[in-house]
């Protein structure tokens, strides 16, 4: 039994990358996990320029790519409990449904990890408003909406933890101005 046995968690943006790793870790510690990304078989990895990446980095990205269903399946294969939810947490109805799924399925929500983000790159000069929104809105509005819908349940049950993921990228990443 892990330190999270009996807890229920949602990890947004857990179809691949860091979110996937977080979801798997929480499940290994005993949490029941709802994995999430916007749509099946997210192809965000294809937006990266393979030729500009070291081969080792490219292979690591491929090993971490997938979608929410693949992450949930991996958790189940390891003996954990997980379900997936496709939806854009920056949309109010999707965020509400995701939180409600935890309540309806397992009767509680203990942990929310706000990790959803858009992938891509571009400078202030090259980005248009649509791409800017794709890259920034899931992080900001998505985190707000998830907290908005999760916190009342956490208050009612007397327990809850919210983790808002960030990085040291604020120091600057070339051609990643929206990140």
């Amino acid at each position: 039994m892990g330190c999270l046995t009996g807890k229920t968690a949602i990890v947004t943006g857990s179809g691949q990358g860091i979110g996937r790793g977080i979801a798997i870790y929480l499940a290994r510690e005993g949490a029941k996990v709802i994995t999430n990304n916007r749509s099946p078989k997210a192809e965000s990895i294809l937006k990266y320029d393979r030729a500009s990446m070291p081969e080792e980095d490219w292979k690591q990205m491929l090993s971490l790519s997938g979608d929410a269903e693949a992450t949930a399946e991996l958790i189940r294969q390891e003996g954990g409990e997980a379900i997936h939810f496709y939806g854009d947490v920056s949309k109010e109805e999707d965020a509400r449904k995701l939180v409600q799924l935890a309540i309806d399925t397992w009767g509680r929500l203990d942990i929310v990890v706000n990790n959803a983000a858009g992938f891509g790159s571009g400078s202030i000069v090259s980005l248009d408003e649509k791409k800017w929104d794709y890259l920034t809105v899931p992080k900001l509005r998505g985190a707000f909406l998830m907290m908005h819908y999760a916190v009342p349940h956490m208050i009612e049950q007397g327990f809850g933890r919210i983790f808002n993921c960030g990085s040291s990228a604020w120091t600057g990443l070339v051609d990643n101005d929206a990140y």
Side-chain angles (χ1 to χ4, degrees):
M1 290 215 180
C3 64
L4 299 176
T5 299
K7 303 293 186 208
T8 298
I10 293 173
V11 183
T12 68
S14 53
Q16 59 188 0
I18 292 169
R20 184 178 196 175
I22 292 169
I24 291 167
Y25 177 80
L26 294 174
R28 287 176 179 167
E29 287 299 318
K32 300 169 186 170
V33 180
I34 299 178
T35 60
N36 158 257
N37 65 276
R38 289 183 225 201
S39 60
K41 297 183 180 156
E43 296 179 3
S44 59
I45 195 168
L46 301 177
K47 296 178 183 177
Y48 285 89
D49 178 15
R50 179 181 182 180
S52 68
M53 298 180 78
E55 187 66 22
E56 184 177 313
D57 291 351
W58 180 255
K59 285 180 180 177
Q60 184 174 14
M61 281 183 64
L62 284 176
S63 73
L64 296 173
S65 67
D67 63 17
E69 186 174 5
T71 302
E73 178 59 27
L74 178 59
I75 290 168
R76 289 190 298 270
Q77 287 175 5
E78 291 187 356
E81 288 187 61
I83 56 176
H84 68 280
F85 178 87
Y86 292 120
D88 183 344
V89 295
S90 69
K91 295 181 178 171
E92 187 171 9
E93 187 63 12
D94 287 353
R96 185 192 65 72
K97 284 179 179 178
L98 179 51
V99 168
Q100 194 60 49
L101 179 61
I103 303 304
D104 292 346
T105 304
W106 291 305
R108 60 184 302 116
L109 177 57
D110 302 288
I111 302 164
V112 173
V113 179
N114 287 312
N115 178 69
F119 289 110
S121 61
S123 69
I124 290 297
V125 174
S126 67
L127 289 170
D128 59 21
E129 187 175 350
K130 182 178 178 182
K131 180 78 174 220
W132 175 268
D133 287 347
Y134 177 81
L135 296 171
T136 62
V137 172
K139 292 177 200 164
L140 302 172
R141 190 165 197 265
F144 162 74
L145 288 171
M146 289 301 297
M147 291 184 289
H148 176 76
Y149 288 107
V151 166
H153 296 286
M154 293 175 171
I155 290 171
E156 183 179 319
Q157 67 194 20
F159 179 86
R161 298 292 185 264
I162 296 174
F163 299 90
N164 295 317
C165 295
S167 76
S168 59
W170 62 272
T171 59
L173 293 172
V174 175
D175 204 33
N176 277 296
D177 294 352
Y179 189 79

